[in-house]
Amino acid sequence: MPDGTAVLKDLQFKVGKETRYITHPNAEDMSRIEKSIYEAQMQADYILISIHSHEVSGDSKENPADFLQEFAHKCIDAGAHAVIGHGPHLLRPIEIYKNRPIFYSLGDFVIHNECIPFAPEEMFASKGLTSDSTMREFFCKRSNNYTRGLMRDRRMLESVIPYFEMENGVLTRLELMPIELQFDEPVWRNGNPRFSTQHGIIERLSKMSASYGTKITIDDRGYGVVELD
């Protein structure tokens, strides 16, 4: 074993200049997905990969975990035409890799998180309630009367709807329509999308995508347009 390295079960520790953790895709899962892409090539003109991931790199929820970028690159290397991420309820960067798009998270297009009629007993128990309580009581307790949590963070109610075109497997056009899910409306209206140019959604997405080499401009409609080589 190299100096400065220690192994504890499935974890490997290395001496470094900073404290951080690095993750990689599970090798068996990656092999299975690459095989699925290979099989799909004889059944479809275009192959889209969908992945649900909450994991982060560093301390920002907008930063996808290392394994997610490695996973997305390997999928495109294997023949996928786009990778579409979701899970953390907010936008993450866009990367153009080998002339194909990777959306590390598109957030939510619609979210009616607080309109469910039932919940498991353990959810109520986690808040000191029982299932004899109403869903309204549960959500009020969890959110401290709607002053904290998922639906009180504007980022969680902002997204884009992408439109892209390809020719011979190469991305030729990518536009992004900004939407907001009515953050400033009563809870029964939250989660329904509407077109938005008021809250800097494209600007924020452009800034976080810049480190991936992605340049996004805003056209006269208020849409984001990804600059392509």
Side-chain angles (χ1 to χ4, degrees):
M1 185 179 300
D3 291 341
T5 301
V7 174
L8 179 61
K9 292 187 177 180
D10 296 330
L11 300 177
Q12 185 179 90
F13 298 86
K14 295 182 180 180
V15 175
K17 296 182 179 180
E18 61 180 354
T19 301
R20 61 174 298 197
Y21 59 90
I22 300 173
T23 57
H24 300 280
N26 178 278
E28 291 184 6
D29 288 343
M30 194 73 246
S31 177
R32 174 177 53 82
I33 292 168
E34 288 170 331
K35 185 179 291 185
S36 296
I37 294 171
Y38 174 76
E39 289 296 304
Q41 288 174 325
M42 62 178 284
Q43 301 179 39
D45 294 323
Y46 289 92
I47 301 166
L48 308 182
I49 302 298
S50 175
I51 180 167
H52 188 97
S53 170
H54 290 257
E55 293 81 2
V56 305
S57 174
D59 57 4
S60 174
K61 197 170 184 178
E62 279 94 345
N63 294 333
D66 299 307
F67 84 85
L68 188 56
Q69 183 172 20
E70 183 180 344
F71 168 85
H73 285 192
K74 285 186 174 182
C75 285
I76 290 178
D77 290 340
H81 294 88
V83 177
I84 303 169
H86 44 84
H89 299 288
L90 83 173
L91 284 172
R92 282 178 168 176
I94 295 173
E95 180 181 9
I96 307 303
Y97 176 71
K98 294 186 175 179
N99 297 310
R100 296 180 178 183
I102 300 170
F103 305 97
Y104 284 107
S105 174
L106 287 174
D108 296 312
F109 298 148
V110 174
I111 179 170
H112 292 160
N113 190 55
E114 294 169 354
C115 295
I116 59 174
F118 307 106
E121 182 72 32
E122 56 265 29
M123 284 183 63
F124 287 97
S126 70
K127 303 304 175 187
L129 303 170
T130 72
S131 55
D132 291 329
S133 304
T134 65
M135 290 305 302
R136 177 177 180 175
E137 289 174 297
F138 169 77
F139 283 121
C140 285
K141 184 73 176 289
R142 186 172 75 168
S143 66
N144 192 26
N145 290 317
Y146 297 102
T147 60
R148 68 186 182 198
L150 178 70
M151 303 299 278
R152 291 294 91 204
D153 187 337
R154 184 180 288 279
R155 297 174 303 163
M156 306 300 180
L157 295 170
E158 296 178 344
S159 184
V160 297
I161 297 178
Y163 170 83
F164 63 93
E165 297 179 357
M166 285 185 157
E167 292 182 9
N168 299 318
V170 174
L171 187 67
T172 59
R173 182 181 180 187
L174 174 52
E175 297 180 348
L176 308 161
M177 182 175 75
I179 60 170
E180 58 177 330
L181 280 64
Q182 307 200 54
F183 174 82
D184 50 356
E185 293 291 338
V187 65
W188 59 89
R189 294 179 186 169
N190 282 175
N192 295 322
R194 62 188 178 192
F195 178 69
S196 174
T197 59
Q198 301 301 312
H199 301 293
I201 297 171
I202 298 298
E203 291 88 341
R204 185 164 62 85
L205 180 58
S206 175
K207 184 176 181 179
M208 73 174 76
S209 300
S211 62
Y212 290 81
T214 306
K215 296 181 180 179
I216 305 174
T217 58
I218 302 176
D219 67 14
D220 55 8
R221 301 169 298 169
Y223 283 40
V225 178
V226 176
E227 296 183 10
L228 303 174
D229 295 332

